[in-house]
Amino acid sequence: MKKRIVSAILTAAMAASLIVGCGSTAPAETQPETKTEETTEAQPEEKTEEKAEETTQASGGKVGVAMPTKDLQRWNQDGANMEEQLKAAGYEVDLQYASNDISTQVSQIENMISSGAQVLVIASIDGDSLGTVLAQAKEAGIPVIAYDRLIMNSDAVSYYATFDNYMVGTKQGQYIEEQLDLKNAEGPFNLEIFTGDPGDNNARFFYQGAYDVLKEYIDNGKLVVKSGQIDFDNVATANWSTENAQSRMDAIISANYADGTKIDAVLCSNDSTALGVTNSLEANYTGEWPIITGQDCDIANVKNMIAGKQSMSIFNDTRDLAKKTVEMVDAIMKGTEAPVNNTETYDNGTGIIPSYLCEPVFADVNNYKELLIDSGYYTEDDLK
């Protein structure tokens, strides 16, 4: 009964967050005005030329889009959504994937600069590794939008577009808190923690949001991390790799849970790490199945939610983030200020980067159809 009440509360919260999410849509492509007949009272020539100039500014120009890899489902969706919406707004798009290789991404960005890109949208592999190439962009007067991952220690970054990453972690921590009834239950409960790549600034926000919820229960012994691995550096997962997460969970189970000791919850910052944990549990764990969190609503993980193997995931609708980024590009191309809703949180080492934060949404087995299928994000066949 308690879980049903919690699920109802979370579903209601999801509905509210849908209302206050990104919300805005990308600007429609501006079409030149055409008339079938000319009248003697034609519009003044000066105004006609002015309108034509505005149309060119709104729909012309080249945008370079640098994505980190095709290895994770979400980046394929991000890239495809970005390309589709930028083209619909009238822009030429140079979309590149870097196979998680920093030198490849640097080379791709250099080519975008030399080939005439007027704006760069970059989801970095390593936020600290683009300083030199972005200095070239700044010298060429090319604005840079950091996409989803904040680019660090570069004053060439003009804007940042992402989801509210601290809120993602907060929702994950609150889910564990509520499902285990930590405010009332005596415990102790066993918890293990998996977050993302140490070079991804977002991973620290995800971790901190969840840890700030769960810290008091770890400190008072109600939550026990039997592996002893709690600090960010100890729970980070290189490249957000499913294989790396699985290997680490194999070792944790072998050392701490091989006798069937129960794992009550595994905090996973995203779906690729959650998938690795799930694979390890299926191969090595004999105790009662734990709560597992995630993020991104990847197809394999939604299937696991339906099968009862993953408890929840945070849905970041990349279509919304793409829309907001297109609005930013369009504003830059027109010489106006890009839309932002946060000017306090994200300091990349050179100062605060004006940011737009889309709101993450809670997803579980009770609402995935509404969120993912009814909205057209997936089809029924995708999840079979």
Side-chain angles (χ1 to χ4, degrees):
M1 179 65 180
K2 184 180 296 176
K3 289 188 177 181
R4 288 198 296 269
I5 293 172
V6 169
S7 179
I9 293 171
L10 290 170
T11 301
M14 176 279 301
S17 66
L18 280 172
I19 296 173
V20 298
C22 278
S24 301
T25 58
E29 183 179 355
T30 305
Q31 299 291 343
E33 228 179 285
T34 58
K35 294 184 179 181
T36 56
E37 296 181 2
E38 292 292 330
T39 67
T40 55
E41 297 181 8
Q43 294 296 320
E45 184 176 341
E46 183 177 342
K47 289 186 178 180
T48 302
E49 290 176 355
E50 185 176 283
K51 177 170 284 190
E53 183 180 352
E54 289 174 0
T55 299
T56 301
Q57 288 179 338
S59 61
K62 184 175 183 179
V63 182
V65 180
M67 292 282 128
T69 181
K70 285 188 172 182
D71 291 342
L72 294 181
Q73 177 189 319
R74 69 144 302 178
W75 294 119
N76 292 303
Q77 291 171 318
D78 280 87
N81 288 331
M82 186 78 58
E83 183 175 39
E84 178 183 0
Q85 293 186 36
L86 283 169
K87 285 183 175 179
Y91 297 105
E92 179 185 352
V93 182
D94 182 3
L95 170 63
Q96 301 290 333
Y97 293 86
S99 301
N100 263 337
D101 182 77
I102 295 169
S103 62
T104 298
Q105 187 166 62
V106 169
S107 178
Q108 289 171 344
I109 295 170
E110 286 176 339
N111 289 335
M112 291 173 187
I113 294 170
S114 63
S115 66
Q118 293 168 265
V119 177
L120 295 174
V121 179
I122 301 173
S124 63
I125 296 169
D126 184 330
D128 281 305
S129 301
L130 298 178
T132 300
V133 69
L134 292 191
Q136 297 175 29
K138 183 177 181 181
E139 184 177 355
I142 303 171
V144 175
I145 300 173
Y147 183 87
D148 198 56
R149 294 175 172 177
L150 184 60
I151 299 169
M152 304 301 293
N153 301 312
S154 171
D155 62 359
V157 181
S158 305
Y159 297 101
Y160 181 36
T162 189
F163 291 89
D164 190 331
N165 300 314
Y166 183 85
M167 185 184 292
V168 169
T170 299
K171 287 176 179 284
Q172 292 168 337
Q174 288 173 339
Y175 182 82
I176 290 174
E177 178 185 51
E178 292 165 356
Q179 291 295 301
L180 294 180
D181 193 21
L182 293 176
K183 292 182 178 180
N184 302 301
E186 292 184 9
F189 300 99
N190 292 324
L191 169 74
E192 296 297 338
I193 304 171
F194 287 73
T195 192
D197 188 89
D200 183 348
N201 190 60
N202 289 351
R204 296 183 182 273
F205 279 92
F206 300 145
Y207 168 83
Q208 199 62 51
Y211 186 70
D212 285 350
V213 174
L214 301 177
K215 181 180 184 299
E216 65 174 291
Y217 304 111
I218 294 172
D219 289 347
N220 67 23
K222 192 171 284 189
L223 284 176
V224 177
V225 182
K226 289 180 70 64
S227 69
Q229 298 169 12
I230 298 174
D231 295 341
F232 177 84
D233 290 341
N234 293 324
V235 301
T237 306
N239 297 320
W240 297 91
S241 165
T242 294
E243 293 73 22
N244 290 342
Q246 182 171 345
S247 178
R248 179 168 162 252
M249 191 64 185
D250 287 346
I252 288 173
I253 292 173
S254 176
N256 301 280
Y257 302 97
D259 60 357
T261 297
K262 183 181 179 183
I263 306 171
D264 294 285
V266 186
L267 171 67
C268 297
S269 290
N270 85 323
D271 279 353
S272 59
T273 55
L275 187 60
V277 167
T278 300
N279 291 343
S280 178
L281 289 169
E282 289 182 315
N284 304 292
Y285 177 63
T286 59
E288 185 177 341
W289 200 261
I291 295 164
I292 301 175
T293 66
Q295 175 189 189
D296 292 329
C297 287
D298 288 347
I299 288 175
N301 298 77
V302 177
K303 289 180 179 180
N304 278 346
M305 284 200 299
I306 295 169
K309 296 177 182 178
Q310 183 170 321
S311 308
M312 59 83 75
S313 186
I314 299 296
F315 178 48
N316 296 328
D317 193 336
T318 56
R319 295 168 299 185
D320 288 343
L321 186 56
K323 287 177 185 177
K324 188 54 61 177
T325 306
V326 170
E327 287 184 40
M328 287 181 158
V329 169
D330 201 50
I332 291 169
M333 290 290 200
K334 292 176 180 177
T336 61
E337 292 294 320
V340 298
N341 62 6
N342 185 295
T343 56
E344 298 178 355
T345 303
Y346 290 93
D347 188 335
N348 78 339
T350 66
I352 298 294
I353 305 301
S355 306
Y356 196 97
L357 310 183
C358 292
E359 187 166 345
V361 178
F362 170 87
D364 69 359
V365 71
N366 296 305
N367 65 17
Y368 79 91
K369 287 185 178 180
E370 178 185 354
L371 281 178
L372 304 175
I373 296 175
D374 294 350
S375 73
Y377 198 77
Y378 294 136
T379 66
E380 291 274 8
D381 287 341
D382 290 333
L383 303 179
K384 288 182 179 178

